Amino acid sequence: MSNKSLVSITDYSKEDILRILKLTKKFDENPNRRLLEGKVCATLFFEPSTRTRLSFETAVNRLGGRIIGFSDASTTSSTKGETLKDTILMVNNYADLIIMRHHLEGAARYATEVSSVPIINAGDGANQHPTQTMLDIYSIYKTQGKLEDLTITIVGDLKYGRTVHSLIIGMSHFNPTFIFVAPEELRLPDTYKNFCDEKDIKYEEHIDFSSEVINKADILYMTRVQRERFTDLMEYEKVKNVYILNNSMLSESKDNLKILHPLPRVNEINQDVDDSPKAYYFEQAKNGMFTREAVICDALNIYVE
Amino acid sequence: MSKIRKELQVAALCNGTAIDHIPSNVVFKVVSLLELDKLGNPITIGNNLESKKMQSKGIIKIADKFFEEDVVNKIALVAPNVVLNIIKDYAVVEKKRVSLPQTIKGIVKCNNPKCITNNEPMPTFFKVVDADKIELRCHYCNLKIKKDDIILK
């Protein structure tokens, strides 16, 4: 296994995270650096994800690298029954780095065991999406000027939300206080509460999404409450309009508050929030490109001046 | 003790391994874990036998066979309290207990249908996260599997 691969945020120590943030800052200052000249990166999207693919491919382009790959598995041999192993071994012959997204959980981990070039996981089912977590952490760092001792309010689907789980793990190195806000059916799983307990991380749980939980926060991390996550649709109908942020709820919030969202947003952040200086979700997406430039260079051991 | 109890319920072994105190419901799981179906040695399997310690037990006796530790430790997945009697010349020379290894390759199926291991021709791999409660975590998809949910391949 190539140890420069990135499969899960748990692969990164605190030092790794800080190193990536430092690199990301350099790309934020100057994203156009021809550091991948002569290199070929493969973007293997077995499952379509336009947003993530464009972000990665822009990152490679801004670094002067070339891209091969596919954006949908239906155009590949996997529809003929080719194994993931064979696809990876074939692409190994061509590319210096593989960026892959797959609908099956654990696909990226398995790919690292087969591949001779580094693998960057761009999402494996409901499992991991570590560059999303890194861009979230960078966005927190950039807007707050620090990572230590922040209060982070996380709202929405805390049960299935992969970005939420990874954010908890990623931020656990920096003494955060978490305020979890979710409907009963979508509460944070015990595994993550136990994780917080083991690490002495303070947290509160709320069902009501009120200004009280917003006013304490440095970061408000919104996620989508999805209809298909509910076993009881009556329950969904009850809560679907409860976890919606609108501008009037921000009147008493901290000056340094920033609102993050992994996107796509549906209706959980009202459009009237978009013009608030506290809305940060579109810049957050832009930070994703810088973060991915950093992760790619780190995986390939490329020195960034 | 009654006269009948004195009779051995399963014939004695000259040389080999006698696995005792197997819960009756997992006897055949132990058979498959140890791949006894692939052995040519004489094997005696007894099940639903009376037991002082447990309600009903199974015994497996394998003549002229001594297992490696990592092989017998697999049994801990389904029957953590079994006792292995190593028999030489009709005498028990050693009693062994089994202990769960830290990792388990193959053998167990991942219960997540969307796990890569259920969709590629590859062995499964689990880390034992709690050896006392017998809880495993899939190395690939991170699913945690509790003792009662463990399915053998």
Side-chain angles (χ1 to χ4, degrees):
Chain A
M1 174 176 164
S2 164
N3 55 15
K4 282 305 229 175
S5 292
L6 175 59
V7 173
S8 160
I9 192 67
T10 55
D11 294 347
Y12 273 173
S13 65
K14 182 177 179 178
E15 288 66 39
D16 292 325
I17 291 173
L18 294 174
R19 185 181 68 248
I20 298 292
L21 292 183
K22 227 185 227 176
L23 279 177
T24 305
K25 192 162 177 277
K26 290 182 184 178
F27 287 113
D28 194 345
E29 286 155 10
N30 176 14
N32 299 313
R33 298 165 186 250
R34 307 195 68 78
L35 296 167
L36 287 186
E37 200 116 295
K39 295 247 190 294
V40 175
C41 297
T43 49
L44 310 185
F45 278 58
F46 294 90
E47 171 191 67
S49 171
T50 310
R51 182 188 318 274
T52 304
R53 186 173 56 82
L54 291 183
S55 176
F56 268 111
E57 293 191 349
T58 311
V60 173
N61 276 311
R62 290 198 180 273
L63 291 166
R66 297 278 187 155
I67 295 164
I68 58 166
F70 48 84
S71 55
D72 185 347
S74 64
T75 59
T76 73
S77 296
S78 53
T79 55
K80 299 175 194 162
E82 186 179 53
T83 61
L84 175 62
K85 181 182 178 182
D86 288 9
T87 308
I88 296 291
L89 288 177
M90 191 242 344
V91 176
N92 261 202
N93 295 332
Y94 309 141
D96 300 289
L97 174 80
I98 294 174
I99 296 154
M100 66 178 276
R101 185 176 185 109
H102 206 286
H103 57 284
L104 294 173
E105 288 143 32
R109 179 71 68 200
Y110 179 55
T112 64
E113 292 168 6
V114 177
S115 176
S116 58
V117 302
I119 303 279
I120 295 174
N121 185 6
D124 58 330
N127 191 26
Q128 301 290 332
H129 190 6
T131 56
Q132 173 71 47
T133 313
M134 283 310 302
L135 80 87
D136 290 344
I137 296 176
Y138 181 71
S139 299
I140 294 172
Y141 173 71
K142 190 175 164 184
T143 58
Q144 306 297 320
K146 63 170 190 173
L147 289 174
E148 305 280 346
D149 312 320
L150 295 171
T151 298
I152 302 170
T153 297
I154 309 180
V155 183
D157 178 359
L158 308 193
K159 185 174 181 185
Y160 300 102
R162 139 185 101 175
T163 57
V164 171
H165 302 159
S166 297
L167 185 65
I168 292 169
I169 293 169
M171 285 304 293
S172 69
H173 304 289
F174 305 102
N175 189 38
T177 300
F178 289 117
I179 300 174
F180 300 125
V181 186
E184 190 61 39
E185 268 209 54
L186 299 179
R187 281 175 56 179
L188 189 73
D190 285 343
T191 318
Y192 294 96
K193 283 188 250 173
N194 296 342
F195 174 82
C196 288
D197 290 336
E198 282 164 24
K199 296 226 154 198
D200 270 332
I201 293 170
K202 298 178 286 296
Y203 64 87
E204 298 170 15
E205 281 190 282
H206 294 263
I207 289 176
D208 289 333
F209 183 37
S210 61
S211 29
E212 184 212 339
V213 296
I214 297 172
N215 296 348
K216 287 194 220 166
D218 300 303
I219 292 289
L220 178 58
Y221 196 95
M222 298 292 298
T223 66
R224 191 151 46 107
V225 173
Q226 296 176 68
R227 188 173 188 267
E228 59 269 28
R229 299 298 192 198
F230 283 80
T231 44
D232 182 355
L233 285 180
M234 288 279 284
E235 187 66 24
Y236 171 74
E237 291 300 323
K238 259 194 280 172
V239 304
K240 70 174 182 185
N241 291 322
V242 175
Y243 300 89
I244 292 179
L245 179 69
N246 58 59
N247 203 27
S248 63
M249 295 164 80
L250 298 171
S251 57
E252 301 286 312
S253 63
K254 286 192 185 180
D255 291 341
N256 64 315
L257 175 78
K258 287 287 184 265
I259 301 152
L260 304 187
H261 189 301
L263 305 180
R265 149 182 75 168
V266 180
N267 67 341
E268 58 278 10
I269 301 177
N270 199 308
Q271 295 233 353
D272 71 3
V273 181
D274 294 359
D275 294 329
S276 162
K278 293 174 181 176
Y280 194 72
Y281 26 94
F282 293 114
E283 284 101 319
Q284 180 189 359
K286 184 173 165 192
N287 289 339
M289 186 183 71
F290 308 138
T291 309
R292 285 167 181 133
E293 289 187 85
V295 168
I296 290 167
C297 287
D298 192 66
L300 289 170
N301 276 322
I302 290 170
Y303 177 73
V304 184
E305 268 182 44
Chain B
M1 199 180 273
S2 74
K3 207 178 171 186
I4 300 165
R5 262 318 259 135
K6 277 182 188 168
E7 271 178 43
L8 286 169
Q9 285 182 290
V10 179
L13 202 57
C14 174
N15 284 300
T17 307
I19 307 167
D20 200 358
H21 295 113
I22 310 170
S24 286
N25 59 334
V26 296
V27 166
F28 292 97
K29 280 189 180 168
V30 174
V31 169
S32 77
L33 275 176
L34 296 178
E35 301 184 338
L36 299 183
D37 52 327
K38 292 180 186 151
L39 283 181
N41 307 39
I43 298 172
T44 317
I45 300 173
N47 202 10
N48 303 324
L49 306 174
E50 269 181 58
S51 166
K52 273 179 269 175
K53 287 186 189 160
M54 43 210 295
Q55 283 196 329
S56 150
K57 69 170 184 180
I59 293 180
I60 302 172
K61 298 189 176 191
I62 308 116
D64 306 315
K65 176 79 187 170
F66 304 96
F67 295 93
E68 297 291 330
E69 201 148 306
D70 58 333
V71 177
V72 292
N73 279 341
K74 291 185 201 173
I75 303 173
L77 272 177
V78 292
N81 299 317
V82 300
V83 178
L84 273 89
N85 299 292
I86 311 303
I87 296 167
K88 293 201 170 142
D89 201 15
Y90 294 104
V92 177
V93 294
E94 193 186 351
K95 275 184 183 283
K96 277 192 198 168
R97 294 218 156 246
V98 292
S99 64
L100 204 58
Q102 288 179 318
T103 58
I104 291 162
K105 189 166 188 174
I107 319 170
V108 178
K109 182 181 164 357
C110 182
N111 294 352
N112 175 5
K114 283 186 74 192
C115 178
I116 186 73
T117 59
N118 287 317
N119 295 275
E120 279 268 317
M122 62 184 284
T124 58
F125 189 64
F126 293 88
K127 288 179 182 151
V128 177
V129 286
D130 191 325
D132 297 329
K133 286 195 222 156
I134 311 188
E135 283 182 357
L136 315 177
R137 185 183 292 283
C138 176
H139 168 66
Y140 295 98
C141 76
N142 291 312
L143 183 78
K144 202 169 170 184
I145 303 180
K146 291 185 176 166
K147 184 184 178 216
D148 295 338
D149 300 326
I150 291 174
I151 299 169
L152 300 178
K153 278 196 150 184

